Amino acid sequence: MTSTFESSVRQIDAPQWRVYETLSNLENLERMKGHIPADKLAGLSFDHDSIGINIPMAGDIRLRIVDRVPPKTIKFETQQSPMPFNFWIQLVPMSEVSCKMRLVIKAELNPFVKGMVSKPLEAGIEKIADALQKIQY
């Protein structure tokens, strides 16, 4: 069964195109490291198209950008994960100087696994949205 987890919609005080350009090249996430607790940086690695991180109790996870729709959407798929999933960053302009962002995770989960991972995924996607909202674009 497909399960969808969405972050709350976040306002970013930067133009849609600038946010897209920053997030579509994962090497730009270097500036996000200051918003991540030091104990969570273990195993964080990235290049232009992929990001990897070690998550306690989940292990190593690696995501790769598989689709870019400038300046609206960046779509990721798992390359390495105990649970395969897709992840989207969606951007919508509000004005010439601000935009809205929402994060979406879709995964095939059986009811047992969904019961175990729903709360951590919901909390995790909000934390990612918090960090992305704080970046100086």
Side-chain angles (χ1 to χ4, degrees):
M1 157 178 11
T2 301
S3 298
T4 302
F5 304 91
E6 297 180 356
S7 72
S8 57
V9 175
R10 306 300 181 94
Q11 180 175 333
I12 297 178
D13 294 326
Q16 177 190 28
W17 63 268
R18 186 179 304 150
V19 176
Y20 174 85
E21 284 182 356
T22 301
L23 297 179
S24 65
N25 176 352
L26 297 176
E27 291 170 333
N28 291 325
L29 296 181
E30 184 72 33
R31 62 179 106 164
M32 186 175 87
K33 284 186 172 182
H35 300 289
I36 302 172
D39 63 320
K40 305 289 187 213
L41 288 175
L44 179 66
S45 64
F46 44 85
D47 60 31
H48 186 268
D49 292 322
S50 64
I51 185 167
I53 191 163
N54 183 282
I55 298 176
M57 298 182 59
D60 291 329
I61 295 177
R62 179 158 286 288
L63 297 168
R64 179 165 199 76
I65 295 176
V66 294
D67 192 23
R68 292 174 172 93
V69 181
K72 299 186 279 186
T73 308
I74 306 162
K75 182 179 178 183
F76 299 78
E77 285 184 355
T78 53
Q79 286 188 307
Q80 177 182 348
S81 173
M83 171 190 71
F85 61 91
N86 292 324
F87 175 72
W88 287 267
I89 300 173
Q90 300 172 326
L91 302 168
V92 176
M94 290 179 53
S95 71
E96 290 186 19
V97 296
S98 67
C99 66
K100 292 181 183 178
M101 175 189 70
R102 180 173 62 183
L103 309 180
V104 179
I105 294 175
K106 286 193 179 186
E108 293 294 324
L109 302 175
N110 68 46
F112 176 73
V113 171
K114 183 177 179 179
M116 291 186 342
V117 302
S118 288
K119 292 234 187 265
L121 277 175
E122 289 165 359
I125 200 168
E126 289 297 332
K127 287 179 184 177
I128 294 167
D130 287 342
L132 294 179
Q133 187 178 24
K134 292 176 183 174
I135 294 174
Q136 293 297 312
Y137 295 95

